[in-house]
């Protein structure tokens, strides 16, 4: 099992996730069509060329979901009871097709579950950067995790 149990985390733990990902046009097209998002800024090269960016932006739902997915193997795989919420989602810089994203995770908080003695709540901050070192997405995630010896 790759994920960690609640009692294996400490505030301040940091993980640089080994998985990196170069974003493709197919990624952007699929997330936009799967979510019924017709935003020309994501799908129309001519319309996007007229914006300050000069080309299509990658749908931010893809960026957010990619970071969650990349983090799972190192955080919650096999230990998750439930994701409880995502907070303070920010996109400080755009993502474009061809950008390669790296992700890191830091534990911000730990709390014993009041209703489940076999579990606890971990709060992480996830951050993604592009190949130029620019932060492209940050957010906090809270999850209810199993305890190892419960």
């Amino acid at each position: 099992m790759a994920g960690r149990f609640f009692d294996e985390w400490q505030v301040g733990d940091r993980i640089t996730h080994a998985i990196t990902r170069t974003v493709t046009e197919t990624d952007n097209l699929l997330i936009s069509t799967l979510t019924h998002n017709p935003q020309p800024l994501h799908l129309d090269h001519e319309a996007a060329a007229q914006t300050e960016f000069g080309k299509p932006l990658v749908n931010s739902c893809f960026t957010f979901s990619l970071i969650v997915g990349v983090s799972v193997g190192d955080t919650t795989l096999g230990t998750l009871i439930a994701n409880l919420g995502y907070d303070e989602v920010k996109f400080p810089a755009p993502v474009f097709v061809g950008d390669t994203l790296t992700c890191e995770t830091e534990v911000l908080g730990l709390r014993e579950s009041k209703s489940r003695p076999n579990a606890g709540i971990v709060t992480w901050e996830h951050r993604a950067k592009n190949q130029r070192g620019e932060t492209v997405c940050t957010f906090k995630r809270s999850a209810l995790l199993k305890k190892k010896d419960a």
Side-chain angles (χ1 to χ4, degrees):
M1 177 173 345
R4 291 193 209 173
F5 290 94
F6 170 77
D7 30 6
E8 296 176 315
W9 290 103
Q10 293 182 15
V11 172
D13 284 351
R14 288 179 182 231
I15 298 169
T16 300
H17 302 287
I19 297 172
T20 62
R21 176 71 184 280
T22 300
V23 181
T24 69
E25 190 164 3
T26 301
D27 295 328
N28 192 43
L29 178 63
L30 283 174
I31 194 72
S32 295
T33 56
L34 286 170
T35 59
H36 295 278
N37 183 340
Q39 177 54 254
L41 191 54
H42 301 314
L43 300 171
D44 185 330
H45 284 260
E46 293 302 315
Q50 303 306 311
T51 70
E52 65 185 274
F53 305 106
K55 57 186 173 182
L57 294 176
V58 171
N59 186 320
S60 58
C61 292
F62 175 79
T63 304
F64 171 81
S65 297
L66 177 66
I67 299 166
V68 172
V70 165
S71 74
V72 165
D74 296 321
T75 58
T76 62
L77 186 63
T79 61
L80 180 72
I81 296 170
N83 276 318
L84 301 177
Y86 299 93
D87 296 298
E88 300 179 38
V89 179
K90 298 176 184 171
F91 302 99
V95 174
F96 300 103
V97 168
D99 282 351
T100 299
L101 304 183
T102 59
C103 307
E104 65 179 17
T105 296
E106 179 179 357
V107 177
L108 301 179
L110 299 167
R111 181 171 66 81
E112 299 279 336
S113 172
K114 293 175 184 169
S115 61
R116 296 181 184 224
N118 64 334
I121 298 168
V122 180
T123 301
W124 296 277
E125 181 177 62
H126 299 294
R127 296 179 288 269
K129 293 182 180 184
N130 62 22
Q131 68 277 9
R132 292 177 297 281
E134 300 165 327
T135 300
V136 296
C137 183
T138 63
F139 60 92
K140 294 178 182 175
R141 173 171 67 130
S142 296
L144 185 65
L145 298 184
K146 299 173 190 174
K147 287 184 178 177
K148 188 172 190 171
D149 298 322

